[in-house]
Amino acid sequence: MPKSWKILCDAPELAAEIRSDADSLGIKVEVELTSDPLKQAIDLLANNRPVSVATHSLPSLEALLSLAKQSHDKQSFSAFALLVQGSSSKAIRELALDLALVAVPTTRALLCAIQLFRTEDPAPWRADIRHLNILDAEHLKPIMHSPKRGGPQLHSEQDFLVEWQNASKTNKVILGRRHECAVAMDAFKQADPFEKDIFAASYQATDIDKQAIRDVLFGPPRALSDPASKAALRPYGLPYGDEEMYTSASRVASEATRIGFPVRIALASPDLRAWDHPDLVANAVDNASRAKEMYQQILAQAQDRAPEARLLGVTVSASHHERALLRVRMSPLADKFVFVQISFADPHGMASEDLTVTFLPAKKDRALKALQRLRGRSLLSDPADPSDPGLQNILNLLEQSACFVNDWREHLQSVEINPVALLLDASIEARELCITVNDSFIKAMDDI
């Protein structure tokens, strides 16, 4: 690793702060001010120059992905500090971690991350902490994992600094103070930047009738109804449960009787979504008379609320109890990647903004890390059982949906599944879908 590490930043105050912190810690870095630090970092990485970025601006997803791929392809490692606050910046940092960028929220943690790279230790979170003082050990103990006997050690030094040492004590690297060291070590552990083939995962090939899907998607920019969206995604194996759409009260009652009570009856409309209008969904309908009544009531309420809305009828499906409701939104990124947003869809989850983001395709362990970042993760699985089938079913749904988004990326703006219901028996249901089609049809017509 080079003795002097370049840090690119986009604000003079930020550059001054990094220089001051580096001098106080005795860390050698070269700080450069630039209007587009990510772009310049990508260029430097192309020439096998390790570089880090500190920015006050939210980067584009494409720029972040390019930075990560360049860093991985060249094995010329990079750390990334995003200093703005808020849920969006937290989500971007989490995405960067999934992309194997050591992403941190402060400049001091960034300097510590650079020092961790300088150790050339692929797993610094396994260092022995027995030589730390009590306070340093308390800060770092929750992050450190399975210390390797006879391996590297962490030591408490003067001025409240933590130092990394190799087993023979021939290589010593000052990391920083305990708090920044804990933040950087945790980011390093989550990112695991020395892992090989981070981007080796691929979509599973599926033998499907593409013409049938093309017939659904073909047309001007628009949001497809839930039944149309489900028709397009059905060949990819998404779990919907037993569900049909009907346009008469008698057919609704007949279908509900066939399925077996209780049933769920929901409005089918591309203009009024169940997630925006929960009163247009009736759960636990328990008899045929009630099914007829709810059909009439739902359509009347919808017509009264939005007279111009397109009302296709209602869908009838079995009513199952769930232990968690998730919202999944996907959109295509460059280089065959898909951006994934996952949050809870129940009122408490939405109010708490419990959200995580990641990218696909990715190895299952990295996708699993994204799910485990949700604060309500205990609703999704048994904490004592990492192979919980509910988690595996959610991961499978994410993979299937991302495969669809990638295959049809030229036609799609986004795909939203809201909610994904995780049932008590660990099975899942994609209850409401919305595919938003982009302007590819209009562009194609313009070219004729």
Side-chain angles (χ1 to χ4, degrees), residues 228-354:
S229 297
K230 286 176 177 173
L233 272 156
R234 184 169 284 109
Y236 287 80
L238 265 68
Y240 301 144
D242 190 2
E243 176 182 284
E244 294 292 341
M245 186 177 73
Y246 294 99
T247 57
S248 75
S250 59
R251 292 296 303 278
V252 167
S254 174
E255 177 64 10
T257 302
R258 184 192 70 80
I259 291 175
F261 296 102
V263 296
R264 176 178 181 268
I265 300 175
L267 179 72
S269 169
D271 302 315
L272 294 171
R273 298 288 171 183
W275 56 70
D276 294 323
H277 304 275
D279 60 328
L280 300 181
V281 178
N283 284 301
V285 177
D286 58 3
N287 60 67
S289 297
R290 182 65 173 163
K292 289 182 179 181
E293 179 184 336
M294 292 313 303
Y295 168 82
Q296 294 165 345
Q297 180 178 316
I298 287 172
L299 286 181
Q301 284 180 310
Q303 182 67 45
D304 183 61
R305 184 166 304 166
E308 303 302 320
R310 292 163 291 173
L311 307 181
L312 307 182
V314 301
T315 58
V316 182
S317 58
S319 182
H320 296 133
H321 292 292
E322 66 277 341
R323 72 189 199 203
L325 296 173
L326 291 174
R327 172 181 179 264
V328 176
R329 190 177 190 279
M330 296 187 174
S331 54
L333 282 174
D335 297 326
K336 295 186 178 182
F337 288 99
V338 172
F339 178 56
V340 185
Q341 298 167 275
I342 307 165
S343 59
F344 283 97
D346 62 279
H348 292 292
M350 291 187 291
S352 65
E353 296 183 339
D354 196 356

Side-chain angles (χ1 to χ4, degrees), residues 74-204:
K74 295 292 184 179
Q75 289 294 289
S76 186
F77 303 105
S78 182
F80 170 74
L82 180 60
L83 305 173
V84 293
Q85 300 302 311
S87 58
S88 295
S89 58
K90 179 177 179 291
I92 290 293
R93 281 194 296 271
E94 291 176 348
L95 178 62
L97 291 170
D98 289 343
L99 292 167
L101 294 173
V102 181
V104 293
T106 68
T107 55
R108 289 201 173 198
L110 178 68
L111 292 170
C112 183
I114 290 170
Q115 295 298 87
L116 286 172
F117 275 117
R118 282 180 166 143
T119 69
E120 300 188 6
D121 182 354
W125 58 88
R126 297 188 63 189
D128 189 343
I129 63 172
R130 289 178 295 172
H131 302 280
L132 293 174
N133 64 39
I134 294 175
L135 293 177
D136 290 344
E138 284 300 311
H139 266 78
L140 287 161
K141 186 177 180 180
I143 294 141
M144 310 307 286
H145 179 70
S146 302
K148 184 179 179 182
R149 290 191 174 275
Q153 303 170 354
L154 296 182
H155 289 255
S156 297
E157 299 297 322
Q158 294 180 348
D159 299 323
F160 309 103
L161 297 177
V162 176
E163 182 180 74
W164 177 95
Q165 298 180 5
N166 64 358
S168 61
K169 299 186 179 180
T170 56
N171 184 16
K172 300 180 180 182
V173 177
I174 290 292
L175 300 180
R177 294 180 175 84
R178 66 174 76 100
H179 177 72
E180 290 80 22
C181 186
V183 171
M185 190 74 76
D186 187 46
F188 207 99
K189 180 180 177 181
Q190 291 187 61
D192 198 5
F194 289 97
E195 181 188 348
K196 302 294 184 183
D197 300 323
I198 292 167
F199 299 103
S202 60
Y203 301 105
Q204 298 299 314

Side-chain angles (χ1 to χ4, degrees), residues 36 38-39 42 55 57-68 80 82 92 95-96 99 101 333 339:
D36 194 345
L38 267 75
K39 182 179 183 303
I42 293 166
T55 175
S57 305
L58 288 174
S60 70
L61 299 179
E62 287 75 12
L64 195 65
L65 178 60
S66 296
L67 178 68
F80 170 74
L82 180 60
I92 290 293
L95 178 62
L99 292 167
L101 294 173
L333 282 174
F339 178 56

